[in-house]
């Protein structure tokens, strides 16, 4: 379990750690949206590893909730706050890699 947490931490540090260390965006509405979305994503990831989380809940998170939150709220806010640091293509690639990791880890296949 410690290895899974370490891998998760190392995997997500470039996504969230760098964002929090950069200069805060000038637009407080964008900052608030980014922080709120980041908290929601963290909540999803924490729930995935909770031993009491059912497989159906993990499917809901990985196939619906997490990707929707990331694509509709996190990416737009991050691009507005740091347009020179990130591209939509790079963020979508990170999302895909993250989802694939968790789907493989929890043996989940989304029906799309």
């Amino acid at each position: 379990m410690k290895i899974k947490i370490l891998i998760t931490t190392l995997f997500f540090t470039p996504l969230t750690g760098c964002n929090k260390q950069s200069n805060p965006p000038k637009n407080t509405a964008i900052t608030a949206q980014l922080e709120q979305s980041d908290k929601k994503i963290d909540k999803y990831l924490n729930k995935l590893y909770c031993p009491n989380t059912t497989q159906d809940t993990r499917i809901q998170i990985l196939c619906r909730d997490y990707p929707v939150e990331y694509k509709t709220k996190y990416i737009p806010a991050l691009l507005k706050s740091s347009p020179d640091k990130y591209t939509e293509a790079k963020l979508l690639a990170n999302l895909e890699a993250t989802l694939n990791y968790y789907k493989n880890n929890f043996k989940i296949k989304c029906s799309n």
Side-chain angles (χ1 to χ4, degrees):
M1 184 64 177
K2 290 180 182 178
I3 292 174
K4 290 180 184 177
I5 293 171
L6 177 63
I7 290 171
T8 302
T9 303
L10 292 174
F11 190 74
F12 283 103
T13 299
L15 292 177
T16 57
C18 293
N19 179 32
K20 293 179 182 177
Q21 293 174 1
S22 64
N23 292 332
K26 293 174 184 161
N27 188 329
T28 56
I30 293 171
T31 303
Q33 179 183 347
L34 188 58
E35 288 175 3
Q36 182 180 22
S37 184
D38 191 44
K39 285 179 185 177
K40 218 177 222 186
I41 289 170
D42 284 344
K43 198 182 285 187
Y44 290 145
L45 296 177
N46 289 334
K47 198 166 191 179
L48 286 175
Y49 279 108
C50 179
N52 298 330
T53 301
T54 65
Q55 190 71 352
D56 287 340
T57 302
R58 287 186 179 114
I59 291 169
Q60 174 73 30
I61 291 169
L62 291 174
C63 298
R64 293 181 239 356
D65 299 340
Y66 181 92
V68 168
E69 179 69 27
Y70 194 88
K71 288 177 183 177
T72 62
K73 295 187 179 139
Y74 188 78
I75 288 178
L78 192 56
L79 290 175
K80 286 178 187 173
S81 69
S82 302
D84 52 332
K85 289 186 180 182
Y86 302 100
T87 66
E88 185 173 3
K90 177 77 172 167
L91 293 170
L92 288 173
N94 286 342
L95 171 64
E96 192 66 30
T98 302
L99 291 175
N100 287 336
Y101 169 79
Y102 284 110
K103 287 176 188 176
N104 287 334
N105 192 35
F106 295 112
K107 302 191 181 2
I108 291 175
K109 293 191 182 213
C110 298
S111 58
N112 291 3

